[in-house]
Amino acid sequence: MSTVTRTDRAPRGGGARPRVVAAVGALLAALVLALLPVPSGATPAAAADGTAVDSAVTVTGTRGKYDDFSGLKVTVHQTKNLRTQGVLITWKGGAPTPESTVNSNFLQIMQCWGDSPTGPTREQCEYGGSGVPLPGTGVDSRSVSATPDPDETQYTGAGAFVPFRPANGSPATTSPTDKTYFGPLDTNEQPAGRTFASGTGEATFQVLDGIEASHLGCGLNTAAAGSAPAPRSCWLVIVPRGTHNPDGTDVTAPGQDGKLDGSPLTTTNWAQRMAVRLDFLPVDEFCPEGQPEQPTAGSQLATDAVTSWQPKLCTTTGTTFAFSQGGEEPARTQVLAATGDAPMLGFTVDPVAGSDGAAKVVHAPVAVSGLAIAFFLETTSGVVQEMRLSPRIVAKMLTHSYTKDVTLGAAPDYLTGNPAFFNEDPEFRKLNPEFPALSGQPSSLMVPLLTSDTTRIVWNWLQSDQEARAFLSGTKDPWGMTVNRYYKDLKLADATSLTDFPKVDPTTSPAVANGVPPLTYTGQDLDPYANDLHEAAVRTLRGNNNGTVVWQAGNNTPPKLGNEVPMSGRHAVLAIVDTASAERYGLKTAALRNADGAFVKPSTATLTAAVAAMRPSPVDATVLRPDPARAKGQAYPLTAVAYAAASVDQAAAARKAYAKFIRYVAGAGQTPGLSAGRLPPGYAPLPAKQRAQAVTAADALERGLTTDPASGGTDSAGTSGSAAGAAGASGGTAAGGTSAGAAGGSGGSATPAAGAAGGAAGPSSGPQQNVAKSANGVTPGEILGIIRWVLLVVLFLGGAAGLSGPIMLRLAQRRSP
């Protein structure tokens, strides 16, 4: 286990000083303290609920029967409050894996269930479904007869294998190739974690909860009826492999082929396992049965936040809020069609714009996030950590202007002279001069199939950049690269309502390893869509874009195109994902060039800075419009605000329930953290003005009113709107607002209406720090601000008393009784 050493030093005291000098010093200190700004809300090292980065566990290997792993130390960087997500695993002290292939000296990592406190059995581990073509025999399977193991006494004979026994009591697997519970496209096992020349390694492992993998059951309640819930814990098992087969053969000895054989589940290999307990968040039904249910639907940007809020909402509001992810446009349509019989709250980025006479709609900001370009790129020396991308490079990717984005064969004539891959582009090498050579061939930029308001943000970012706009229009870049002609005809530089990523190049190519009958693939087979942003993140984590270009016969009649799972060390995938999914799955994200020419990555500070630069939508002034052209300084260009939109024409009970939803979200729901009810990583807390606007919208919705963005009042005669509504309607920043608002919330004054629910106090007037509220409703920034002013008063009074004691006495004598 790793240990943490903390050293606290008390400040050294000073000697006595003359009274006047001390008084002057106090006054100067007070002046400096008054001028110092309260620090902006940076992303904390640990979540506000204390559940984040303090659960890392380090385990040490042991000396084995043939190989010595006693110097190997493996760290699992999060072991508590887990859900389906990525978990970083790093190690050091390992023997390097051969550079050319994964023949020996690697780690095999798997997730297992098991209720014993000593760890799981090998029958409880998800392994053997990857289909990764490792050099050795049986290394990627559950077979224990592939190579002799003198210690194996339980499973013996020809065709022997270790069956997988599910946690849910379903039947065990019947063969080493039984894919009933997991297969190549859904298993999370990592059969060959590479150790680099430095003796270190890194992998981001996708752990699965009981919803995603019921056969593991992680997070499902195991307590008896009537007892306190007891979510099932699971295990991460690491089996280190050296250079010896289970029978003691050294594969690196003269005359040997150098290929390690044998499953990690054989008795000898299993004896070297390193097991780490994983504690999951509950995944059972958390809402009381029989209570009213209200539907919500819409933007992918709200998915992670809403699913985190749901458990607390249903236990604190008396309502179960169902959520269905989809496009923003269908959600807007449902909002306008909402009635007493069909209520609805929809999540959108662009405002709901009904025709004259349509239902009145309120818009409450609920989440600040955005899009990111995530990547998983490996080299012979490690995993790529940093990358810069300009709008023009992204334009090249989205238009399949690199030749290998169209075909793995010879370049089509219309792309002659263009680089094969983005990392061979002179423009990319200029921005990334130290970028290493990749081990695998990078795939195209993976994009979602689902149409979305967020897609338009990407195109607006490209269109706002002079270089990218020129390239999309057909102008060659300075190195002679030109846009794919099939995309030039789409006039992407001027399109104003793009909500999808078109794939229009019709080129066909012969299948890889073509057989009889011969098959061909297109660019969409080579570079398939992801269903949504979340799936794009999962595919990136697995290092596989699911391209189907390899001719496959096997049991397929007739033969078809299939996916070839990349080998360890050769993953090379990029994708457009949402920032919450990027954080959830531990993905690296590219720094993107903003309107000031700065390269910025998504973070709490850069997302908040972008919100401060946004301006109201011309359709509805209560909604901020994403505008990459205004993303300057440290503002991230692909930022968006998700809004909860609801019609006031719904039944009173639905309006009241949705108002409670919004109040919770604007209050406790903005506290960052991993536990239920918190704001997950990848989101920035709403600035103070938007939180106040949300509370105002909730009040108006419950009363059946809408805020008039022009006057700050409501549309009902005799009922005045809250001043906070007027302030919130003005957008992310007030007139004269500066980047200071980016760090601490938008400029201007905003006071929420009284009676805000959800357990969070409303923000006070003036700029607010963009940090989480504590349990008593006070932010760390506010605490620091209070302390600062108390100290200021003390220092000022002390200094003044030191210099003006006699004057103070005279003034006291002249005071009337």
Side-chain angles (χ1 to χ4, degrees):
M1 296 287 289
S2 61
T3 58
V4 178
T5 302
R6 176 179 174 179
T7 303
D8 294 321
R9 295 183 177 178
R12 295 181 178 180
R17 284 176 169 78
R19 181 177 179 182
V20 174
V21 174
V24 171
L27 287 173
L28 289 175
L31 177 61
V32 171
L33 188 62
L35 295 176
L36 283 175
V38 176
S40 62
T43 303
D49 54 1
T51 59
V53 294
D54 59 352
S55 63
V57 171
T58 298
V59 289
T60 302
T62 59
R63 184 174 182 84
K65 186 176 180 181
Y66 306 117
D67 293 290
D68 185 2
F69 301 110
S70 59
L72 177 66
K73 295 184 182 298
V74 180
T75 299
V76 182
H77 289 260
Q78 183 187 343
T79 61
K80 297 182 183 298
N81 289 286
L82 296 167
R83 50 184 175 158
T84 294
Q85 64 175 83
V87 172
L88 178 64
I89 304 171
T90 58
W91 59 92
K92 60 183 179 180
T97 308
E99 287 191 6
S100 58
T101 186
V102 188
N103 279 344
S104 59
N105 293 324
F106 52 85
L107 270 57
Q108 300 188 289
I109 309 172
M110 63 199 79
Q111 184 178 346
C112 313
W113 69 277
D115 299 329
S116 169
T118 60
T121 67
R122 49 186 176 164
E123 293 84 0
Q124 296 170 320
C125 294
E126 178 165 327
Y127 190 84
S130 70
V132 173
L134 293 174
T137 303
V139 181
D140 61 338
S141 77
R142 304 186 71 88
S143 173
V144 294
S145 63
T147 187
D149 183 351
D151 291 342
E152 181 60 57
T153 59
Q154 183 176 5
Y155 301 103
T156 59
F161 72 99
V162 178
F164 173 74
R165 303 187 188 281
N168 56 15
S170 296
T173 54
T174 57
S175 75
T177 58
D178 186 340
K179 310 301 183 189
T180 300
Y181 302 108
F182 46 87
L185 294 181
D186 60 5
T187 185
N188 61 352
E189 67 197 73
Q190 295 195 8
R194 176 182 290 273
T195 300
F196 301 107
S198 61
T200 63
E202 172 184 330
T204 301
F205 187 91
Q206 183 189 11
V207 296
L208 301 172
D209 64 24
I211 301 299
E212 295 290 332
S214 60
H215 54 277
L216 294 173
C218 309
L220 292 175
N221 185 23
T222 60
S227 302
R232 167 173 278 138
S233 60
C234 279
W235 299 87
L236 191 74
V237 171
I238 305 102
V239 179
R241 305 296 298 275
T243 62
H244 290 82
N245 284 331
D247 63 357
T249 303
D250 187 343
V251 300
T252 63
Q256 299 297 322
D257 62 5
K259 298 178 181 179
L260 201 67
D261 293 328
S263 169
L265 304 182
T266 67
T267 295
T268 297
N269 293 329
W270 183 250
Q272 295 302 120
R273 69 191 181 279
M274 306 157 72
V276 176
R277 175 176 166 145
L278 304 176
D279 292 325
F280 281 76
L281 294 168
V283 295
D284 295 86
E285 290 294 331
F286 38 71
C287 294
E289 293 184 5
Q291 72 178 13
E293 180 174 319
Q294 298 293 351
T296 70
S299 179
Q300 301 172 75
L301 295 187
T303 300
D304 266 28
V306 173
T307 52
S308 175
W309 294 328
Q310 280 175 316
K312 286 295 183 181
L313 284 164
C314 71
T315 57
T316 60
T317 66
T319 302
T320 298
F321 293 95
F323 173 72
S324 176
Q325 176 184 285
E328 292 87 359
E329 185 58 36
R332 288 191 286 268
T333 300
Q334 289 177 282
V335 167
L336 289 174
T339 63
D341 295 330
M344 175 57 61
L345 181 142
F347 299 99
T348 184
V349 176
D350 293 342
V352 178
S355 57
D356 292 342
K360 302 288 187 177
V361 174
V362 298
H363 294 89
V366 294
V368 175
S369 62
L371 300 183
I373 296 182
F375 59 90
F376 179 18
L377 304 169
E378 291 180 310
T379 73
T380 57
S381 59
V383 177
V384 176
Q385 304 290 327
E386 301 289 340
M387 181 167 57
R388 290 183 168 192
L389 293 176
S390 68
R392 182 164 57 193
I393 293 175
V394 177
K396 295 172 180 179
M397 294 176 174
L398 292 178
T399 57
H400 286 188
S401 296
Y402 296 111
T403 63
K404 298 304 183 184
D405 290 350
V406 174
T407 176
L408 296 177
D413 57 356
Y414 56 89
L415 295 178
T416 300
N418 282 9
F421 302 105
F422 73 86
N423 55 314
E424 298 177 3
D425 185 348
E427 179 180 7
F428 180 85
R429 293 204 299 267
K430 182 179 179 181
L431 292 180
N432 302 272
E434 298 181 358
F435 197 81
L438 300 178
S439 301
Q441 297 180 339
S443 62
S444 303
L445 179 61
M446 192 171 13
V447 295
L449 176 63
L450 185 66
T451 59
S452 172
D453 295 350
T454 59
T455 302
R456 184 160 45 250
I457 302 174
V458 177
W459 290 114
N460 288 347
W461 175 53
L462 305 184
Q463 292 163 348
S464 66
D465 181 84
Q466 184 176 356
E467 294 176 350
R469 185 181 180 87
F471 182 82
L472 292 172
S473 299
T475 302
K476 293 183 177 181
D477 76 359
W479 299 273
M481 183 173 177
T482 187
V483 68
N484 184 323
R485 70 184 182 193
Y486 293 103
Y487 290 85
K488 180 181 176 182
D489 296 340
L490 298 180
K491 302 187 183 304
L492 297 173
D494 301 307
T496 59
S497 58
L498 281 169
T499 58
D500 67 335
F501 295 104
K503 296 180 184 287
V504 295
D505 192 319
T507 300
T508 60
S509 304
V512 176
N514 223 349
V516 179
L519 300 175
T520 60
Y521 66 85
T522 67
Q524 285 202 47
D525 297 314
L526 179 62
D527 174 32
Y529 285 106
N531 287 324
D532 53 37
L533 298 169
H534 181 271
E535 185 189 3
V538 173
R539 288 197 204 171
T540 304
L541 172 64
R542 293 177 176 172
N544 187 355
N545 76 337
N546 289 8
T548 53
V549 298
V550 181
W551 189 93
Q552 291 185 336
N555 296 325
N556 300 313
T557 304
K560 66 178 183 178
L561 295 175
N563 175 259
E564 186 173 47
V565 180
M567 200 177 223
S568 174
R570 296 185 177 275
H571 298 106
V573 176
L574 298 89
I576 293 179
V577 305
D578 60 294
T579 56
S581 292
E583 285 288 335
R584 179 171 185 166
Y585 291 105
L587 301 177
K588 310 295 188 294
T589 56
L592 305 182
R593 194 174 73 196
N594 68 10
D596 258 355
F599 286 89
V600 182
K601 296 173 69 173
S603 69
T604 295
T606 61
L607 292 170
T608 308
V611 174
M614 293 179 185
R615 288 293 180 265
S617 165
V619 176
D620 188 317
T622 64
V623 174
L624 296 179
R625 179 175 62 180
D627 189 354
R630 297 186 58 84
K632 298 181 179 181
Q634 285 300 301
Y636 182 68
L638 302 186
T639 302
V641 181
Y643 288 82
S647 169
V648 301
D649 285 357
Q650 302 178 80
R655 288 188 282 104
K656 183 177 181 179
Y658 289 138
K660 289 182 178 180
F661 178 103
I662 294 170
R663 292 189 188 105
Y664 177 88
V665 167
Q670 294 302 311
T671 302
L674 299 177
S675 58
R678 304 295 191 177
L679 187 69
Y683 292 95
L686 285 173
K689 180 175 291 185
Q690 279 65 48
R691 291 176 68 164
Q693 180 188 343
V695 173
T696 300
D699 293 344
L701 176 62
E702 184 168 0
R703 293 194 302 267
L705 310 170
T706 54
T707 302
D708 181 350
S711 66
T714 65
D715 66 348
S716 176
T719 306
S720 60
S722 168
S730 66
T733 182
T738 66
S739 59
S746 305
S749 175
T751 303
S764 60
S765 299
Q768 298 293 307
Q769 297 305 310
N770 183 31
V771 293
K773 291 281 185 183
S774 63
N776 61 1
V778 182
T779 68
E782 290 169 339
I783 294 171
L784 183 56
I786 294 169
I787 294 172
R788 178 179 69 175
W789 290 111
V790 170
L791 287 175
L792 186 152
V793 171
V794 171
L795 288 169
F796 182 85
L797 291 177
L803 291 175
S804 309
I807 298 176
M808 298 295 290
L809 289 173
R810 292 192 192 97
L811 289 175
Q813 292 172 355
R814 291 177 57 184
R815 289 173 61 95
S816 58

